[in-house]
Structures are given as structure tokens and as C-alpha cells.
Amino acid sequence: MRIDLAALGRLLPASKLSMASPERLLQHLGITPGSVSLFALIHDSAQVVELVLDQAVWEASHLQVHPLRNTATVALSPAALLSFIAHTGHVPHIVTVPAIQ
């Protein structure tokens, strides 16, 4: 699915959304492109990253994420996901992400 970043920006509200640069990913989450994962929030002790999740993802029976590298995948239950997010101190913003048709 391709995301309409302009529409998502209006929903949040935020302006000029884009994918994070390799430098910003490394600085704030300690990861490189291709390894982006919810688990990287553990490195964001300064709480500069805002967690935005799509409603459909939030309601899924399980969520699959990379364990800080893209060579493996871990499945989380909703309860485990909530526990992890709470541990990081982040508050998820749940939205219906607009797709490009």
C-alpha cells in the first residue's frame, strides 16, 4: 500500500511529512533504512519520535515486526505490543492512514 503523506499530514496535523533520512534513523532510533521496526522505539529515550499506527494494524490479531534487523521477523500479540510501547514511554496515535488509489 502506498501512503498519501500529504493527507496523513493533514490528519495528524503535521506538515511536509516524509520518510526519515538514514542519518535521522540512526540518530533517533539507532537503525538503518530497511531495518525500521517498532522495536527501535527502545532507543528513543528522548521521546522525539511520534508513533503513528494505522487502525487496521492496531486491531490485527498479531503484528509482525523486525527485531532491529531485517533478517528476521517476530509476531506480537496486541497485549505484547501494548506492553512494549508502554515500556518505551511512547503513546501511539491511531489513525486510518489514507492510501493512494
Side-chain angles (χ1 to χ4, degrees), residues 7-98:
L8 180 58
R10 290 188 297 275
L11 230 166
L12 291 178
S15 63
K16 298 184 182 180
L17 288 179
S18 66
M19 297 299 155
S21 68
E23 296 78 22
R24 290 177 70 187
L25 285 173
L26 190 58
Q27 177 185 2
H28 297 296
L29 295 174
I31 55 175
T32 58
S35 298
V36 175
S37 169
L38 284 172
F39 286 146
L41 290 174
I42 199 74
H43 297 298
D44 182 31
S45 58
Q47 304 273 315
V48 297
V49 174
E50 183 175 352
L51 175 59
V52 178
L53 291 173
D54 182 68
Q55 183 74 37
V57 171
W58 186 248
E59 293 174 350
S61 63
H62 285 84
L63 180 68
Q64 295 182 345
V65 297
H66 293 306
L68 300 180
R69 56 191 324 188
N70 63 2
T71 58
T73 303
V74 175
L76 295 176
S77 68
L81 174 62
L82 282 171
S83 177
F84 174 76
I85 293 171
H87 178 75
T88 69
H90 289 80
V91 176
H93 299 276
I94 311 303
V95 300
T96 299
V97 176

